[in-house]
Amino acid sequence: MSEIRKAVQKLYNTYPFPPDPLLDEPPPGYNWRWHYQSAYNFCKGRKPKKERIRILDAGCGTGSSTEYLVLHNPMADIVAVDISENALATAQKRLKKSGVLNDFQGNIEFKQFNLEDARDLEGSFDLINSVGVLHHLPNPVVGIQALGDKLADDGLFHIFVYGELGRWEILLMQRAIALLQGDKVGDYEDGVKVGRALFAGLPESSRILQREKERWVLENQRDECFADMYVHPNEFDYNIDSLFEFINTSGLDFVGFSNADFWQIDRLIKSDDLLSRVSQLSPQECYRLIELLDPSNVTHYEFFLAKPPFTRETWQDDNLLAKAKPELNPCMMGWESKSLLDYNYQPITLNDSEFEVMKLASQNPNQDLSVKDILSEVNFSLDEVRSLINRQLIIMG
Ligand SMILES: C[S@@+](CC[C@H](N)C(=O)[O-])C[C@H]1O[C@@H](n2cnc3c(N)ncnc32)[C@H](O)[C@@H]1O
């Protein structure tokens, strides 16, 4: 095993991550990125055809994501792999204790496994989730390519990797701790001790301390989080340009960021003249502009990839839209009410006719109501249906 991989494994055996408490009940709410139907709709603009799907949680850690994958995809076959046996043991305890497996009709398998060897896993996967993992591999390209090869033709690959602009203070602190540790580098408990003592003495004027206080201090009360952040033996951080170089090595298409609101330029630029200049930029240049203007909030990138040629249904064809059968997005809170939380936990208020349309859509799929059927009962236009689709409130089958 490579020295780097061994060091990473030792870190997560010492401090399994994430240190989320083990609960006696299912985790709260939802996360649409781990709900296949909702994620598929976000990426491809329609309901997936397949119901029985295979999911890979690549680098599942202590199983917080795996638990949501089980909860949201009750018919799926799920394989959860990690290199740390201690993280895997906690993941298994987590799922047992919370009871999420009681109503689960699919299969779940936990496996101690190096994801760089993903090609050795059986079959392909409709959803691959790899959050906070690829940037810790000795060579992240090896990992993204191996996982990309396991993606089913219509599959989705969700990735989260670190951003350098919002983490430069962390990198400096990592180096400072390593300098002071000397030949004790690799002793993670010592690293946490050194790091905590360093922070305790830094003056208020220190940018490293200021950043810790404004952004990270709450989560870093846990030694697992502190170690994951400041005592990590191997971390690659990206910027938009190096991120797209990395993505291009996978041979997959970039679908979009899963925190899409962050990547809207109009939250940073208001002038019409400047916005018309922005319209001349490529999408990648536009993302770069956003991170240059809002660097400290770029602590990570989270995004979906898909096999080429990637296409998204836009429902511009009136006939196609009239025939489609809408259902409610399963990731919502507060339905059946006009005021609710959408898939992203944003509060929204529906007008009367939107509410009526959504009520009829909620009767699908059993009733098989098409958009045309619904519009014969409610005074609503196809463009208003498109607005519900674009806001991810309904999913078209
Ligand atoms: C920061 S944790 C993320 C855990 C989980 N994905 C999450 O977001 O909560 C990184 C995880 O990746 C695992 N990991 C690192 N290198 C790996 C490899 N080569 N193969 C499999 N898992 C690996 C670690 O053991 C650790 O549990």
Side-chain angles (χ1 to χ4, degrees), residues 28-32 68 331 333 340-347:
Y30 46 83
N31 186 325
W32 67 270
Y68 277 102
C331 292
M333 198 177 273
L340 62 151
L341 298 180
D342 73 2
Y343 73 115
N344 243 343
Y345 289 98
Q346 295 307 305

Side-chain angles (χ1 to χ4, degrees), residues 31-34 39 42-43 129 131 157-161 254-263 287 300-305 343-344:
N31 186 325
W32 67 270
R33 296 159 187 80
W34 297 326
F42 177 87
C43 293
N129 178 59
V131 169
F157 187 178
H158 183 234
I159 297 178
F160 171 118
V161 288
F254 178 76
V255 172
F257 289 110
S258 58
N259 56 344
D261 291 348
F262 180 83
W263 296 101
Y287 298 143
H300 75 271
Y301 303 95
E302 51 174 272
F303 52 95
F304 285 98
L305 303 180
Y343 73 115
N344 243 343

Side-chain angles (χ1 to χ4, degrees), residues 55-70 77-98 100-101 104 107-113 121:
I55 300 177
L56 175 64
D57 199 4
C60 62
T62 62
S64 294
S65 51
T66 324
E67 191 175 40
Y68 277 102
L69 288 168
V70 164
D77 289 333
I78 301 176
V79 181
V81 303
D82 202 283
I83 205 167
S84 155
E85 58 271 29
N86 289 354
L88 282 167
T90 305
Q92 280 162 289
K93 262 191 232 154
R94 179 188 304 287
L95 269 66
K96 209 167 164 202
K97 194 157 192 282
S98 73
V100 290
L101 295 175
F104 183 58
N107 292 309
I108 173 109
E109 182 189 2
F110 286 98
K111 213 175 167 127
Q112 188 177 15
F113 188 83
L121 292 169

Side-chain angles (χ1 to χ4, degrees), residues 97-142:
K97 194 157 192 282
S98 73
V100 290
L101 295 175
N102 296 344
D103 298 324
F104 183 58
Q105 294 163 49
N107 292 309
I108 173 109
E109 182 189 2
F110 286 98
K111 213 175 167 127
Q112 188 177 15
F113 188 83
N114 170 20
L115 62 78
E116 293 160 293
D117 299 331
R119 291 184 187 90
D120 296 341
L121 292 169
E122 208 180 290
S124 60
F125 295 91
D126 303 290
L127 177 62
I128 298 179
N129 178 59
S130 196
V131 169
V133 185
L134 291 174
H135 50 222
H136 294 317
L137 299 187
N139 181 355
V141 170
V142 172

Side-chain angles (χ1 to χ4, degrees), residues 12-33:
Y12 290 111
N13 274 337
T14 313
Y15 291 115
F17 190 92
D20 299 344
L22 305 189
L23 303 176
D24 288 323
E25 58 189 5
Y30 46 83
N31 186 325
W32 67 270
R33 296 159 187 80

Side-chain angles (χ1 to χ4, degrees), residues 299-319:
T299 55
H300 75 271
Y301 303 95
E302 51 174 272
F303 52 95
F304 285 98
L305 303 180
K307 278 205 172 162
F310 166 73
T311 54
R312 177 187 275 117
E313 178 55 67
T314 57
W315 301 104
Q316 289 313 303
D317 179 331
D318 286 358
N319 289 328

